[in-house]
């Protein structure tokens, strides 16, 4: 219990320090992106959406907007139709995530943890998959550095739960280091055949937790 508290305390300090420093250093980029969005897409600049955090408590996730507002485009309002060229570039470079550092400073999120998903998914999880909410959601996580949106949902949740059971300071540092590589390579940005990610409609079979995750791919530290 003492070691767990020490880890949680050290992780929170790391979150606050890194998020604050990154926000200050990235201020010119943040301003430039905000202006580019206003010029090409208009207001609002930021995208806000309720997401479940630790213990499934809802908070407002903040990102840069990458799509047109629904109803402002001709034709069907699909994600592919609404995603703008600037938005696609922001997603490819992960610059759309910069405002999310504010969620880290507030304590809604951590730098590392399971990605916060839609509230509508909450009643679709198996009890094992729901365990991803035992920790703060993260800007990046174990599944993001092992395939991101290219993985099946069951595989993604298996990574999330493995992280919950095996989280530690060295593992977090390893995930952060691998995130830099994944972002630079622009890997797993979208699901196959989609401009974003496929909707999670629930698992037909229990998620395979730990199989091929903990022993090999998940060892990032």
């Amino acid at each position: 219990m003492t070691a767990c508290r020490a880890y949680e305390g050290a992780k929170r300090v790391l979150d606050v320090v890194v998020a604050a420093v990154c926000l200050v250093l990235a201020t010119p980029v943040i301003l430039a992106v905000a202006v580019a969005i206003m010029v090409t897409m208009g207001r609002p600049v930021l995208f806000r959406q309720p997401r479940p955090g630790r213990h499934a408590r809802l908070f407002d996730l903040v990102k840069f907007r990458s799509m047109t507002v629904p109803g402002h485009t001709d034709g069907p309002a699909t994600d592919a139709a609404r995603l703008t060229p600037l938005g696609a570039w922001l997603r490819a470079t992960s610059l759309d995530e910069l405002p999310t550092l504010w969620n880290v400073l507030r304590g809604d999120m951590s730098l590392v943890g399971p990605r916060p998903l839609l509230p509508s998914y909450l009643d679709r999880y198996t009890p094992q998959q729901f365990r991803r909410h035992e920790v703060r959601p993260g800007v990046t996580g174990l599944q993001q550095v092992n395939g991101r949106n290219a993985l099946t949902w069951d595989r993604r949740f298996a990574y999330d739960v493995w992280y919950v059971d095996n989280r530690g300071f060295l593992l977090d540092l390893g995930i952060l280091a691998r995130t830099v590589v994944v972002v630079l390579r622009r890997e797993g940005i979208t699901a196959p055949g989609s401009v974003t990610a496929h909707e999670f409609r629930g698992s037909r079979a229990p998620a395979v937790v730990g199989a091929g995750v903990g022993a090999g791919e998940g060892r990032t530290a």
Side-chain angles (χ1 to χ4, degrees):
M1 182 65 73
T2 301
C4 183
R5 288 178 179 173
Y7 160 69
E8 294 290 346
K11 184 175 186 180
R12 183 63 189 141
V13 171
L14 178 70
D15 285 345
V16 171
V17 171
V18 173
V21 170
C22 288
L23 280 172
V24 171
L25 294 179
T27 296
V29 178
I30 291 173
L31 293 176
V33 171
V35 170
I37 292 174
M38 287 187 65
V39 170
T40 60
M41 288 188 274
R43 295 175 182 275
V45 170
L46 296 178
F47 169 80
R48 300 174 183 272
Q49 189 175 58
R51 297 290 178 93
R54 191 172 196 177
H55 305 311
R57 285 194 290 266
L58 295 182
F59 68 95
D60 282 337
L61 178 75
V62 184
K63 298 175 62 175
F64 277 126
R65 188 160 67 92
S66 60
M67 294 183 175
T68 59
V69 176
H72 285 205
T73 56
D74 296 331
T78 61
D79 286 348
R82 293 176 52 217
L83 184 65
T84 68
L86 173 62
W89 180 77
L90 291 176
R91 289 186 174 214
T93 56
S94 296
L95 290 177
D96 62 320
E97 301 280 357
L98 283 175
T100 308
L101 294 172
W102 175 246
N103 289 119
V104 177
L105 274 182
R106 283 173 47 88
D108 300 324
M109 296 177 61
S110 176
L111 293 173
V112 180
R115 186 70 183 168
L117 301 175
L118 297 174
S120 58
Y121 291 180
L122 287 174
D123 60 0
R124 302 177 188 177
Y125 296 129
T126 66
Q128 182 74 355
Q129 291 168 346
F130 196 86
R131 294 192 57 222
R132 66 195 309 278
H133 295 291
E134 292 178 11
V135 298
R136 283 191 180 93
V139 178
T140 185
L142 190 57
Q143 59 102 340
Q144 275 77 24
V145 298
N146 280 293
R148 206 171 172 182
N149 290 323
L151 299 172
T152 64
W153 279 111
D154 282 352
R155 194 67 174 166
R156 293 167 69 175
F157 295 144
Y159 276 119
D160 289 343
V161 175
W162 191 93
Y163 173 80
V164 169
D165 288 335
N166 297 277
R167 63 189 186 277
F169 201 68
L170 291 179
L171 177 61
D172 289 345
L173 293 179
I175 291 172
L176 288 173
R178 288 181 59 182
T179 298
V180 175
V181 177
V182 170
V183 170
L184 290 177
R185 291 179 176 175
R186 303 185 182 185
E187 295 175 341
I189 298 169
T190 62
S194 173
V195 298
T196 55
H198 296 307
E199 180 182 356
F200 173 59
R201 300 182 183 277
S203 297
R204 295 183 178 180
V208 179
V209 179
V213 175
E217 298 162 286
R219 189 170 295 164
T220 59

